[in-house]
Every structure is written in structure tokens, then in C-alpha cells.
Amino acid sequence: MESKEHRSPLEKDYVYIKEKPSEKMSREPVPAFASASASQPYRSTIGISTTEQWEKELLADPKNRLALSALSSNDAKAVLTQRSATIANSQNFNVKISLEGAPITNQRSSGRCWLFAATNVFRVAIMKRYNLKEFELSQAYLFYYDKLEKANYCLEQILDTVDEDLDGRLVQQLLASPVGDGGQWDMVANLVEKYGLVPQSLYPDSHNACNSSIMSSLITTKLREDALELRRLAKSSGGEAKDSLGAAKDKMMRDIHGILTLMLGPPPNPNKEMTWEYCDKEDKFHSLTTTPLKYAGELSSEESVEANSGTNIHELFSLVNDPRNDYKQLLSVSRLGNVIDLRPVRYVNVDMITMKTACISMLRANIPIFFGCDVGKSSNRTSGIMDTDLINYELGFNIRLGMSKAQRLMANESSMTHAMVLTAVHVVDEKPVRWRVQNSWGDGPGSKGWFVMSDGWMDEFVYQAVVDPRFVDEDVRDVLKQEPKM
């Protein structure tokens, strides 16, 4: 989803200096924003004398000299952190789900946040169903099949775009990051539908699941090479070359499968039985023999839905807040996906009041919420606080940052970069004040792995919440029937 470029006309009082052809060049550049020309009347350079004057005026203010000492010697965020925001964002909430899920998970040096957030939502239903104190699903299992499916998706897109220029924007975008670690809710839903779920004890993280960059880089290089070969074969005039396309792609996918299997380990077969042994809260031993697909399907059983407050995990869908587009509109992204012929990536665009109302209703019903945000903005990893008032750049640098949410999206200043889970909210006079966040960065950051988000921060930097259709109005559910805007 992209917006058209918008260029504002120059202000009428914009001042520039024309350079006369007869003037001799001097050692000292023309002051201010000079060096304009007839062909580019607003082109400018920065004069050395100008910056000298700026510096003199800047440091004439004692406040700026103090800022120089502090900001040049320390982390600027630490210096400008507002104590009042730290105090206001406590880990106390009056609406909290009864079972949040434990332990705190750790994606380590990988971009698997979406898989961790999704499995942290799924596990709560499983923990309720089997009376567990602690539990983790295998994120590596879904990670393995996501990489495999993304590789196939990439090669299919390459075949679908053979008539496009190789150096054109579309093909270059397809080759930019064909098997990146990141993903969307609909993509994890596809993986669960096709491959099921597995307890982490039956397929734990390998080194390369925790440190994915080398594996991803190798697969990306292989896919780019394969893409060139597929395009060559597809454009060959001979019928024999075209007949070999399928065989060539199968060989390419077999190579990718080999890389994944050797670096992550052979995963459980979705259709073959596995035996899960576990102890419940009372330390009573149990053993369950099932398949990964049946294990995931159990989440839709009458017993599981009842244990999960009436929510069928497989029916959840994405709300987004994208103020560039009309609300109550179905949005999608062209050629974004992982599993061919399963559900596309879709978002129902709503205002923040609708999104937050649904989230509060879900928390009151004891259901955790997968959400997506721009985690790096106005946040502190160590304290685990996300608040628009946390860091006062205006105080330190005499600047005001005032873009709206829509403007940040249009200017590429903000995007959805991280997925986490909501488990509580503090409500005063029927309005949310702050939200409790379960992260997947281990128990070091924040309050033993838990973060807190101000409601103002949610308005500005939360873009997605995955909700139960029961907690939105019918007109919002009906948006899913629309043809999506790309």
C-alpha cells in the first residue's frame, strides 16, 4: 500500500541568491543558501561562514552548552527520558486475563516475533485445555515450514512475472528479501492450517533458529540464482526448455529443503503421530499421541473453545489502523504471502476507538491479543516502557517533531516492525490508560520480560490487533466480504 508522492509548492518568501556569471570564484563560499542557477533556481549549498554563525548562536545559550556536555557524552535517549513517564507507566492493571502464559519466550537473534506472538496466543488456549502451569509451542517448527513455503512462493512469483523487466521495480522487490524472517497473522494461520502445531519439547530451537541470518542469507542467494535460471528457461523459445521448468523448480526446492533440514533439523511430519509427554499443574503425568495437524485442530474442539472463553483461535482476524485509507475498508498487499492457494494477507481498516474497544472486550473475556506495532519509537528496551512522552527531544535539541500517524506512514518514518501480545489494560472512567505487553525478548528487558504501553503510544504506533469476530460490530465483520484494496 503506497501513497502517491505529494510535493508542496515552495513558500513565497523563500530567499535565494543567484550567482552572477561574471563573478570570480573566491576561497570563501557565498553565505547562506547560495549557489543557485538559472536552470535550478532553488538549488543551494551550505556556506562555512553560515555554519560558524549557527554554532556561535547555538552555544551562546547556557542551556545548549549544558546539553552539549550531556548529549555528547551519554546516550541521548537516557539523558532525555522523562521521569514522570517512567512513574506513570507502572505494571498495575484493573483488567487482566487470568492466565497470561508462561514462561517469557525469547526469539533471540532472529526476526520471528510474529511466530512467537502467535504461538503465545495459541498456547494460552492449550494451557487451559490441558491444565498446564508453563508451556511453549515450537516456534522453530513453524519457522522451518515458513522458510520452505516462502521459497516456493518466491519461485512461483518469479514464474508469474517473467514478462516483467528484471531490473523493474516489481521483480527487484520480489528478490529483495524472499525468505525474510518476518510475517503476518494470515501467514501463520496458513502454516497452522497446512502443518499444524507441535510442542516445543518435540522440536526445540536449533542454533540457526536462534541465529537465523546465515541461513536466510544462504537461501536468499540460492533463490536469486534460481530466479535467473527460471526466467531464462521460461523465455527460451524451445519447447524442451519450457517443459523442463517444472523439473528445474522441483530441483531448486529440493536444494532449499536440504539447507533447512541440515540447519534446523528434520521437523515432525504433519501427518505422522507424535507422542507428547507432560505434567499438569498438579504434577500429574500425561501422555498424548496425535499428529501435528490434529493437535492444532483440537483448538477448534468444543472443549477447547469452551476452555478459551468461547473463542475459536482459528477464527481470529486482523484489524488495522491505517489513516491513509478509508475506514471499514479491506486492505491487502500485492504478492505478499507464504503458502500458495491458502488465505491471502488481509486487514480490516478501522479507527483506533474500534480497535481498542475490541481489545478491551477480549481482555475482559480472558483472551490474549496478538498485535503489531513500531516498537522502536518512543520506547526504552531496558525499562520496557513505550510512551510518546518518554523521550523529550524538544527539550534537548530545540526541535518539535509533529508528524501525524498518516504522515509518518507516507514519509516512511514508521511501519509495523514488531509483534507482541496484550494481556491487560488499566481503564479509568471507561477509557484505557495503559496496556500490559508480553514481549519475546527474554526476561532481561522490561519487568522480567513484560513491557507497558501508554494509551497515547498505542494511538500513534500500534497498527494491528488480531481479534475475535464476536467483539466487533457486524458492519466491521462484513468488511471481510469486500474485494481488498492493494
Side-chain angles (χ1 to χ4, degrees):
M1 293 176 285
E2 296 177 356
S3 60
K4 295 182 180 179
E5 185 180 16
H6 176 72
R7 295 182 179 178
S8 302
L10 289 168
E11 296 294 334
K12 293 180 180 179
D13 59 352
Y14 187 94
V15 178
Y16 67 97
I17 302 172
K18 275 191 177 180
E19 185 179 289
K20 297 177 182 178
S22 60
E23 286 180 343
K24 293 182 179 180
M25 295 183 65
S26 66
R27 291 181 179 271
E28 180 68 14
V30 180
F33 291 95
S35 189
S37 66
S39 60
Q40 291 180 293
Y42 301 108
R43 184 180 177 185
S44 62
T45 62
I46 302 173
I48 294 175
S49 61
T50 300
T51 58
E52 183 180 26
Q53 182 63 27
W54 288 347
E55 179 184 309
K56 181 179 178 180
E57 293 174 2
L58 179 73
L59 298 182
D61 188 336
K63 174 196 161 188
N64 291 332
R65 294 199 298 274
L66 176 62
L68 172 64
S69 296
L71 296 172
S72 63
S73 305
N74 299 279
D75 183 310
K77 286 187 175 182
V79 172
L80 301 175
T81 292
Q82 301 303 289
R83 189 167 181 263
S84 58
T86 302
I87 294 171
N89 288 286
S90 69
Q91 285 284 354
N92 297 300
F93 305 89
N94 54 16
V95 177
K96 186 176 180 181
I97 65 176
S98 58
L99 179 61
E100 295 181 298
I104 288 292
T105 54
N106 194 340
Q107 67 189 78
R108 302 190 186 278
S109 298
S110 73
R112 298 177 292 164
C113 61
W114 61 295
L115 295 175
F116 275 74
T119 52
N120 284 346
V121 169
F122 297 150
R123 73 171 173 180
V124 171
I126 293 173
M127 292 174 73
K128 290 176 180 177
R129 174 74 174 84
Y130 296 103
N131 192 32
L132 303 175
K133 182 179 179 180
E134 290 192 348
F135 177 70
E136 278 191 70
L137 285 161
S138 173
Q139 304 89 4
Y141 177 75
L142 297 176
F143 190 52
Y144 177 102
Y145 284 114
D146 180 61
K147 292 288 186 186
L148 188 66
E149 290 288 351
K150 280 177 178 171
N152 183 63
Y153 195 91
C154 170
L155 296 181
E156 288 293 324
Q157 297 301 312
I158 291 301
L159 288 172
D160 193 49
T161 56
V162 290
D163 294 328
E164 299 282 343
D165 290 338
L166 176 61
D167 58 356
R169 184 176 178 182
L170 174 57
V171 177
Q172 288 299 308
Q173 183 64 33
L174 292 174
L175 294 174
S177 182
V179 288
D181 285 3
Q184 298 290 326
W185 174 263
D186 287 314
M187 293 163 72
V188 73
N190 287 340
L191 296 172
V192 174
E193 179 180 344
K194 185 172 180 177
Y195 298 103
L197 293 167
V198 170
Q200 194 190 61
S201 58
L202 298 184
Y203 193 66
D205 273 356
S206 68
H207 171 81
N208 293 296
C210 299
N211 304 273
S212 60
S213 60
I214 294 176
M215 179 179 69
S216 294
S217 177
L218 175 60
I219 295 174
T220 296
T221 298
K222 183 70 172 64
L223 285 173
R224 288 169 177 164
E225 183 175 296
D226 291 344
L228 295 178
E229 176 63 11
L230 283 183
R231 285 175 61 89
R232 184 190 70 78
L233 289 172
K235 291 186 174 184
S236 297
S237 57
E240 183 179 342
K242 290 189 176 182
D243 290 341
S244 67
L245 264 177
K249 179 174 173 287
D250 287 346
K251 172 62 168 61
M252 294 168 182
M253 284 305 304
R254 184 171 182 171
D255 290 341
I256 300 299
H257 173 272
I259 294 171
L260 288 167
T261 301
L262 294 175
M263 298 189 80
L264 295 176
N269 185 303
N271 294 301
K272 290 188 176 180
E273 288 188 339
M274 60 182 183
T275 299
W276 174 42
E277 297 179 341
Y278 67 95
C279 291
D280 61 22
K281 285 182 180 178
E282 284 71 45
D283 206 29
K284 183 179 178 181
F285 175 84
H286 300 268
S287 178
L288 175 67
T289 298
T290 186
T291 69
L293 280 169
K294 289 180 180 178
Y295 189 66
E298 172 66 18
L299 290 175
S300 295
S301 70
E302 185 177 340
E303 294 87 349
S304 293
V305 171
E306 183 179 351
N308 201 37
S309 306
T311 289
N312 185 338
I313 292 297
H314 295 298
E315 295 180 354
L316 304 181
F317 72 99
S318 291
L319 299 179
V320 293
N321 176 245
D322 181 350
R324 297 172 301 176
N325 292 285
D326 292 337
Y327 294 138
K328 294 185 181 177
Q329 183 178 47
L330 190 63
L331 305 178
S332 186
V333 180
S334 179
R335 300 185 185 274
L336 175 64
N338 58 350
V339 183
I340 296 293
D341 294 333
L342 287 186
R343 72 160 82 176
V345 175
R346 300 183 304 168
Y347 316 94
V348 175
N349 196 29
V350 297
D351 57 58
M352 284 305 298
I353 293 176
T354 299
M355 181 183 289
K356 290 191 285 188
T357 299
C359 288
I360 294 172
S361 296
M362 287 186 67
L363 294 174
R364 283 179 169 151
N366 274 319
I367 306 164
I369 302 154
F370 175 112
F371 79 101
C373 66
D374 192 353
V375 72
K377 296 289 191 289
S378 297
S379 65
N380 184 293
R381 180 189 180 103
T382 302
S383 65
I385 293 174
M386 299 176 287
D387 190 329
T388 52
D389 294 328
L390 182 63
I391 303 165
N392 192 340
Y393 289 111
E394 182 177 354
L395 177 65
F397 297 101
N398 305 305
I399 60 172
R400 182 181 291 275
L401 303 176
M403 280 191 287
S404 67
K405 193 173 191 177
Q407 288 172 329
R408 284 192 292 270
L409 288 167
M410 288 187 286
N412 237 357
E413 168 60 18
S414 184
S415 63
M416 195 156 57
T417 62
H418 191 50
M420 297 180 283
V421 177
L422 295 174
T423 65
V425 61
H426 190 67
V427 179
V428 177
D429 296 329
E430 294 303 312
K431 294 182 180 180
V433 175
R434 58 182 178 271
W435 303 75
R436 178 165 162 89
V437 177
Q438 184 185 67
N439 206 344
S440 56
W441 292 345
D443 58 10
S447 178
K448 297 182 179 179
W450 292 93
F451 281 45
V452 60
M453 168 176 69
S454 74
D455 190 62
W457 194 95
M458 187 179 197
D459 284 334
E460 296 298 326
F461 298 113
V462 167
Y463 295 103
Q464 177 189 29
V466 175
V467 302
D468 185 322
R470 294 183 298 152
F471 299 109
V472 296
D473 293 337
E474 184 178 358
D475 60 341
V476 174
R477 296 194 297 270
D478 286 346
V479 174
L480 290 168
K481 301 174 184 177
Q482 297 178 7
E483 283 298 314
K485 176 185 176 182
M486 297 291 183

